Amino acid sequence: MDIIVTIFSTIIDQLQKPTLAFLIGGMLLASLGSKLEVPEPVYKFIVMLLLLKVGLGAGISVRDANLTELLVPAAGAAIVGVLIVLLGSRTLARWKGVSKIDGLATAGLFGAVSASTLAAGMAVLDDENIAYEGFIGALYPFMDIAALVTAIVMAKVSVARRASNAEIAADGTMAMNAAPKTEPAQIEGLEKGLVKTILVDTFRSPAISALLIGLAIGIFAAPDSVYDSFYEPLFRGLLSILMLIMGMEAWARLSELRKVAHAYILYGIAAPLVHGMLGFGVGLIAHHLTGFSAGGVVLLSIMAASSSDISGPPTMRGALPEANPSAYVGTSTGLGTPVAILSIPLFMALAAAFIG
Amino acid sequence: MDIIVTIFSTIIDQLQKPTLAFLIGGMLLASLGSKLEVPEPVYKFIVMLLLLKVGLGAGISVRDANLTELLVPAAGAAIVGVLIVLLGSRTLARWKGVSKIDGLATAGLFGAVSASTLAAGMAVLDDENIAYEGFIGALYPFMDIAALVTAIVMAKVSVARRASNAEIAADGTMAMNAAPKTEPAQIEGLEKGLVKTILVDTFRSPAISALLIGLAIGIFAAPDSVYDSFYEPLFRGLLSILMLIMGMEAWARLSELRKVAHAYILYGIAAPLVHGMLGFGVGLIAHHLTGFSAGGVVLLSIMAASSSDISGPPTMRGALPEANPSAYVGTSTGLGTPVAILSIPLFMALAAAFIG
Amino acid sequence: MDIIVTIFSTIIDQLQKPTLAFLIGGMLLASLGSKLEVPEPVYKFIVMLLLLKVGLGAGISVRDANLTELLVPAAGAAIVGVLIVLLGSRTLARWKGVSKIDGLATAGLFGAVSASTLAAGMAVLDDENIAYEGFIGALYPFMDIAALVTAIVMAKVSVARRASNAEIAADGTMAMNAAPKTEPAQIEGLEKGLVKTILVDTFRSPAISALLIGLAIGIFAAPDSVYDSFYEPLFRGLLSILMLIMGMEAWARLSELRKVAHAYILYGIAAPLVHGMLGFGVGLIAHHLTGFSAGGVVLLSIMAASSSDISGPPTMRGALPEANPSAYVGTSTGLGTPVAILSIPLFMALAAAFIG
């Protein structure tokens, strides 16, 4: 009974929350033809502040944890984040009519973690007196950043490959009779160079730079006072403004999705369950190898099932401006988060059955 | 005795308040030739934040009130707001030498409400143990927004009409002998289309969009946490910066007013009293029709008498950038607000005489 | 023993502090080729907010002090600030290979005051039960602003003089035989006009304007509420962002200093001690003339020894954008501040010896 109350009150909180209200407000404004806009320089600064805060917060929680204890579960969490994006790249991103970039951006958000869903899961476990490791809160950055970076790099590789294919095709046409075919080994070499270039570019991009330098400062320095007095209070407010603007953008690009809406709806409902199972599987292995607790396994499943409504949208908007926010914000905030919250009891039942 | 103390301490607070201090500071900077400026993109964002906050705050106070109870007094408040602007458009805005736009912007600010004057009125009534309805705080947005939108639309119609008259005049000169005169009915049709276009443009403008979406989110969602932690604390600070900049602008355009200063001074002193009487009359009707309390009638009079120092300046600056802030901010902050505060006992005496 | 603990914990705090962590973070980002940047309009606004805050805070502390009591020590503090910059202009700024502007900017920061070093000094005196005047906190703006304005004006005069010398030289070459030599008196007249122009320009510049209008509002109005709720909390956060950006700039311009690093290192170590002696001398005179307390003399020495890590960097960045932040921020934050903190016991010993 308590579980159901907790879950429902979490869903109602979620729907009443400023995040969603401002997103819907932005869509309403766009539908009525409002000329409201955040000037580009201010927008860039807001995204930078949000990502610095996400990085700092993650860094502080990692610093407060025991690093040796954290190593194995953190690697597990990062692997789950990468696997979720790879899975999305083979399913949603290959769907006929779905733009590859939109599909990968969406998979990136589903691989990233919703801190509020994780908090809801912890509240449910606390209600039921189920114990879990204290360092769980420090695991989410590993899954979060692994998923976001994988999705961004794959999307950029895909764009670059398409551009270079177009070039090769053009070259091929022009030099059809004279030039020998490009050797597979040579292509592989080019590919490796391409991935390396994009990986470097991604880490140097303003969005990922801000996230990672925040993480480094959070881990190695003591920014807690400025975090509490500045980054944390500004965060919710600036996020509300980002959501207003993303709502306007999402509305303007909603029509692009008309023909593939069913793909996103199917993914938004199925993915949290599949990802949660993946997290459960990895957690179960950790349980048998290192004695990772049943509560920890449940929370890892919830992390995997959840999709980012905080770190994800500003990261994607900063690093992949060409991706359609109607796709990734809509699917993640509109479907992914509620489904993940509703599936909390499922992972608890699985843990009771498999671990006891 | 208590009344006088309350009123005087309110006036002193007003003069010592950051709002006025920064306004004067800006004028001082401009007079000394300072090159201080807020870059345009940041300025736009500040105005957007301020108006979102005004809207959210108004929406939250409306949501917390009983909507059916609110309906009649809210309509009354909105009517008073519109009447004040119409009155200003026939008096100040027609004064020889007064720019029509400046006159309407000033009337808009005098129609809008000063939350701090209203709070001073409530404090005085509390001191005297005079009861008033709990929903009074939720009335002010109706008067505020009605007055501001009316003033903006009338100013824009006036600009457009002048431009089109100039065009017709030019056409007329060129085609003097050939073309028949434009029919009155046709002009009326054009006029209606014009008003509609301007009304739509006004609601779609960044300033009014931000105000109204804030209002909608305040009423229909639960943005209280982000309002308390972000919008409310940033508000006073950003307003201080806006006032600094408006002070610099006001100084630069002060000379435009040299020949019509007496008109603004007369209006700034007389208008609060006339508007207060108007509010008192509407309140008296509501008292006889629906049993609106004597305290409520006094507070409606004070709302009508007060002129906006919070919502007004950013709205006018955003929606009517061509209006001269020396006129509207100067008259409203320099004369309107002190006179309104000083006239509080007058409305209490009137209520005692007419209602008892 | 207590002294040593207090000093060491202050140094460790300093190194762990967000200010330095973000500066190093910015250097790290730049070294890795990050493309993170704060858009120019936002940057200008951040600097304006920081300097308004510095001015407001200084103004509030001056207002809270007894002005007649303050007059003599304030004049002494301002003289020390000017002397430190003049000393720097004859030593560091004349060093072979050191850019005159970089040398003056560094001297300006060493003349300005570190509020946190001053606070550390007060904590040490409190630990030892040594009394000092209550108005000491109101002295620092006089030294701070005197040093910064002197350094900026001298740097601008130097740039202008070099430009005009180049012109005269060019004129001279072209008109070698015909034109008589410019008379010394005439040059002196030109010089006076130049200094006046630059002084006026400096006071009208956005950076110094913001600082001084904040000071005026802090002294003559009551901005305490907006200061506490807006400027103070935003300050640390915006400073962390400024430091991140200055770190990136500092890294990019570090190579310029390769050949003169020893000059800055020598200055960074010796200057705090020499400046502290200067402050001690002026304080000793005040002690004999007006009975200025021994504790007050120690704190004036610490103020003189300290170099600004708060007011200085944004002021220099705003007023002298061509100066190399690697030089002034690096020398002041990296060497000046730690040396000043370590020299606190020296000034206490001197006071014990000379005043008792």
Side-chain angles (χ1 to χ4, degrees):
Chain A
M1 192 53 211
D2 268 358
I3 296 186
I4 294 171
V5 170
T6 305
I7 289 174
F8 268 83
S9 78
T10 307
I11 292 177
I12 291 188
D13 280 4
Q14 181 73 19
L15 291 173
Q16 285 255 324
K17 240 162 59 172
T19 313
L20 206 59
F22 278 84
L23 188 76
I24 296 168
M27 298 179 82
L28 189 67
L29 279 183
S31 73
L32 296 172
S34 164
K35 293 193 185 69
L36 188 73
E37 55 166 2
V38 171
E40 193 62 20
V42 177
Y43 196 93
K44 278 186 182 168
F45 182 63
I46 291 179
V47 170
M48 176 187 163
L49 273 183
L50 291 176
L51 293 173
L52 266 175
K53 187 268 171 187
V54 169
L56 286 168
I60 290 173
S61 65
V62 170
R63 189 197 59 207
D64 291 345
N66 184 332
L67 279 176
T68 49
E69 214 178 41
L70 201 61
L71 218 66
V72 171
I79 289 167
V80 172
V82 173
L83 284 180
I84 288 173
V85 176
L86 290 178
L87 194 64
S89 78
R90 308 265 147 169
T91 54
L92 179 64
R94 290 214 177 152
W95 201 289
K96 196 175 172 308
V98 169
S99 137
K100 201 163 177 76
I101 293 176
D102 292 354
L104 282 164
T106 308
L109 254 70
F110 274 77
V113 177
S114 153
S116 60
T117 306
L118 180 58
M122 288 178 171
V124 171
L125 291 186
D126 290 344
D127 277 359
E128 303 284 307
N129 287 317
I130 299 173
Y132 50 87
E133 283 79 5
F135 60 68
I136 290 286
L139 287 184
Y140 90 88
F142 295 93
M143 196 186 287
D144 214 61
I145 293 174
L148 293 173
V149 170
T150 306
I152 290 165
V153 170
M154 288 185 75
K156 288 191 168 175
V157 169
S158 146
V159 170
R161 199 179 288 166
R162 206 182 315 149
S164 97
N165 279 352
E167 228 167 71
I168 288 174
D171 283 5
T173 315
M174 295 196 307
M176 215 191 281
N177 304 319
K181 267 168 75 181
T182 321
E183 295 301 317
Q186 198 182 331
I187 288 179
E188 205 176 285
L190 282 172
E191 198 88 316
K192 262 190 200 161
L194 180 67
V195 171
K196 205 188 141 192
T197 308
I198 285 173
L199 207 58
V200 169
D201 275 1
T202 300
F203 281 108
R204 284 180 178 171
S205 72
I208 304 295
S209 284
L211 193 67
L212 294 180
I213 201 67
L215 192 67
I217 292 173
I219 295 175
F220 297 112
D224 305 57
S225 66
V226 75
Y227 180 81
D228 291 338
S229 68
F230 178 78
Y231 289 96
E232 175 67 31
L234 278 190
F235 184 70
R236 297 261 152 205
L238 293 177
L239 192 68
S240 73
I241 289 159
L242 184 76
M243 283 292 148
L244 200 62
I245 301 310
M246 292 194 89
M248 293 184 75
E249 280 184 18
W251 180 263
R253 297 188 60 183
L254 198 59
S255 61
E256 291 176 19
L257 299 183
R258 224 179 324 164
K259 286 182 182 157
V260 289
H262 55 288
Y264 285 101
I265 291 171
L266 188 62
Y267 182 80
I269 293 171
L273 302 171
V274 175
H275 299 163
M277 298 296 183
L278 198 65
F280 189 83
V282 171
L284 203 60
I285 295 170
H287 170 72
H288 287 301
L289 290 180
T290 68
F292 194 47
S293 73
V297 175
V298 171
L299 291 176
L300 192 68
S301 314
I302 293 173
M303 267 187 235
S306 79
S307 56
S308 171
D309 42 10
I310 297 282
S311 58
T315 311
M316 285 302 160
R317 184 56 176 64
L320 288 180
E322 62 273 41
N324 185 344
S326 290
Y328 61 83
V329 180
T331 313
S332 134
T333 310
L335 289 171
T337 299
V339 172
I341 294 171
L342 285 169
S343 65
I344 291 175
L346 171 68
F347 303 120
M348 294 176 68
L350 281 176
F354 282 81
I355 307 175
Chain B
M1 191 56 210
D2 269 358
I3 296 186
I4 295 170
V5 171
T6 306
I7 289 175
F8 268 83
S9 77
T10 306
I11 291 176
I12 291 188
D13 280 5
Q14 181 72 18
L15 291 173
Q16 285 255 326
K17 241 164 57 174
T19 311
L20 206 58
F22 279 83
L23 189 75
I24 295 169
M27 298 179 82
L28 189 67
L29 280 183
S31 72
L32 296 172
S34 164
K35 293 194 186 69
L36 188 73
E37 55 165 2
V38 172
E40 191 62 21
V42 176
Y43 196 94
K44 278 187 183 169
F45 182 62
I46 291 178
V47 171
M48 174 185 162
L49 273 183
L50 291 176
L51 293 174
L52 266 175
K53 187 271 173 184
V54 170
L56 286 168
I60 291 173
S61 66
V62 170
R63 189 197 59 208
D64 291 346
N66 184 331
L67 279 177
T68 48
E69 216 177 39
L70 202 61
L71 218 66
V72 171
I79 288 168
V80 172
V82 172
L83 284 179
I84 288 173
V85 177
L86 289 178
L87 194 63
S89 78
R90 308 264 146 167
T91 55
L92 179 64
R94 289 215 178 151
W95 201 289
K96 196 173 171 314
V98 169
S99 139
K100 200 162 176 78
I101 293 176
D102 292 355
L104 282 164
T106 308
L109 253 69
F110 274 77
V113 177
S114 153
S116 60
T117 308
L118 180 58
M122 287 178 172
V124 171
L125 290 187
D126 290 345
D127 277 1
E128 303 285 308
N129 287 317
I130 299 174
Y132 50 87
E133 283 79 5
F135 59 69
I136 291 286
L139 287 185
Y140 91 86
F142 295 93
M143 196 184 289
D144 214 61
I145 293 174
L148 293 173
V149 169
T150 305
I152 290 164
V153 170
M154 288 185 75
K156 289 191 169 175
V157 168
S158 146
V159 170
R161 201 178 288 169
R162 204 182 317 147
S164 97
N165 280 353
E167 227 167 71
I168 289 174
D171 282 6
T173 315
M174 295 196 308
M176 215 192 282
N177 303 320
K181 270 169 70 183
T182 319
E183 295 300 319
Q186 200 180 334
I187 288 179
E188 204 176 288
L190 283 172
E191 198 89 314
K192 261 190 202 161
L194 180 68
V195 172
K196 206 188 141 191
T197 307
I198 286 172
L199 208 57
V200 169
D201 274 2
T202 302
F203 281 108
R204 284 179 178 170
S205 72
I208 305 295
S209 285
L211 193 68
L212 294 180
I213 201 68
L215 192 67
I217 292 173
I219 295 175
F220 297 112
D224 304 58
S225 65
V226 76
Y227 180 81
D228 291 339
S229 68
F230 178 78
Y231 289 96
E232 176 66 32
L234 279 189
F235 184 71
R236 297 260 151 206
L238 293 177
L239 192 68
S240 73
I241 289 159
L242 185 75
M243 283 293 148
L244 200 62
I245 300 310
M246 293 193 89
M248 295 184 73
E249 281 185 18
W251 180 264
R253 298 188 61 183
L254 198 58
S255 61
E256 291 177 19
L257 298 183
R258 226 179 324 165
K259 287 185 183 154
V260 289
H262 56 288
Y264 285 102
I265 291 171
L266 188 63
Y267 183 80
I269 293 170
L273 301 171
V274 175
H275 299 164
M277 298 297 181
L278 198 63
F280 189 82
V282 171
L284 204 59
I285 294 171
H287 170 71
H288 287 301
L289 290 180
T290 69
F292 194 47
S293 74
V297 175
V298 171
L299 290 176
L300 193 67
S301 313
I302 294 173
M303 267 187 236
S306 78
S307 57
S308 171
D309 42 9
I310 297 281
S311 59
T315 310
M316 284 302 159
R317 184 56 176 62
L320 287 180
E322 63 272 40
N324 184 344
S326 290
Y328 61 85
V329 179
T331 314
S332 133
T333 310
L335 288 172
T337 299
V339 172
I341 294 172
L342 285 169
S343 65
I344 292 175
L346 171 68
F347 305 120
M348 292 176 69
L350 282 176
F354 282 81
I355 306 177
Chain C
M1 190 57 207
D2 269 357
I3 296 187
I4 295 171
V5 170
T6 305
I7 290 174
F8 268 83
S9 78
T10 306
I11 292 177
I12 292 189
D13 280 4
Q14 181 73 19
L15 291 173
Q16 285 255 326
K17 240 163 59 171
T19 311
L20 206 58
F22 278 83
L23 189 74
I24 296 168
M27 298 179 84
L28 188 68
L29 279 183
S31 73
L32 296 172
S34 165
K35 294 195 186 69
L36 189 72
E37 56 165 2
V38 171
E40 192 61 24
V42 177
Y43 196 93
K44 278 187 184 167
F45 182 63
I46 291 178
V47 171
M48 174 186 163
L49 272 183
L50 292 176
L51 293 174
L52 266 176
K53 186 266 173 188
V54 170
L56 285 169
I60 290 173
S61 65
V62 170
R63 189 197 57 208
D64 291 346
N66 184 332
L67 279 177
T68 49
E69 215 178 38
L70 202 60
L71 218 66
V72 171
I79 289 167
V80 172
V82 172
L83 284 179
I84 289 173
V85 176
L86 290 178
L87 194 64
S89 78
R90 309 263 145 171
T91 54
L92 179 65
R94 290 213 177 154
W95 202 288
K96 195 174 173 309
V98 169
S99 139
K100 201 164 176 77
I101 293 177
D102 292 355
L104 282 164
T106 308
L109 253 70
F110 274 77
V113 178
S114 154
S116 60
T117 306
L118 181 58
M122 287 179 172
V124 172
L125 291 186
D126 290 344
D127 276 1
E128 303 285 308
N129 287 316
I130 299 174
Y132 50 86
E133 283 78 4
F135 60 69
I136 291 286
L139 288 184
Y140 90 87
F142 296 93
M143 195 185 290
D144 214 62
I145 293 174
L148 294 173
V149 169
T150 306
I152 290 165
V153 170
M154 289 185 75
K156 288 192 169 175
V157 168
S158 146
V159 170
R161 198 178 289 167
R162 204 182 317 147
S164 96
N165 279 353
E167 229 165 71
I168 288 174
D171 282 6
T173 317
M174 296 196 309
M176 217 188 284
N177 303 318
K181 268 171 72 181
T182 319
E183 296 301 319
Q186 197 181 335
I187 288 181
E188 205 176 286
L190 281 173
E191 197 90 315
K192 261 190 201 160
L194 180 67
V195 172
K196 204 189 142 193
T197 307
I198 285 172
L199 208 58
V200 169
D201 274 2
T202 302
F203 281 108
R204 284 181 178 169
S205 72
I208 304 295
S209 284
L211 194 67
L212 294 180
I213 200 67
L215 192 67
I217 292 174
I219 295 176
F220 298 112
D224 305 58
S225 66
V226 76
Y227 179 82
D228 291 339
S229 68
F230 178 78
Y231 290 96
E232 176 67 31
L234 278 190
F235 184 71
R236 297 260 150 205
L238 293 177
L239 192 67
S240 72
I241 288 160
L242 184 76
M243 284 293 150
L244 200 62
I245 301 309
M246 292 193 91
M248 294 185 73
E249 280 185 19
W251 180 263
R253 299 189 59 183
L254 198 58
S255 61
E256 291 176 19
L257 299 183
R258 226 179 323 166
K259 287 184 182 154
V260 289
H262 56 287
Y264 284 102
I265 290 171
L266 188 63
Y267 182 80
I269 292 170
L273 301 170
V274 175
H275 299 165
M277 298 297 183
L278 197 63
F280 189 82
V282 171
L284 204 57
I285 295 171
H287 170 72
H288 288 300
L289 290 182
T290 68
F292 194 47
S293 73
V297 176
V298 171
L299 290 176
L300 193 67
S301 314
I302 294 173
M303 265 187 238
S306 79
S307 56
S308 170
D309 43 8
I310 296 282
S311 58
T315 310
M316 285 302 160
R317 184 55 176 65
L320 287 180
E322 62 273 40
N324 185 344
S326 288
Y328 62 84
V329 180
T331 314
S332 136
T333 310
L335 289 172
T337 298
V339 172
I341 294 172
L342 285 169
S343 65
I344 291 175
L346 171 68
F347 304 120
M348 293 176 67
L350 282 176
F354 283 80
I355 307 177

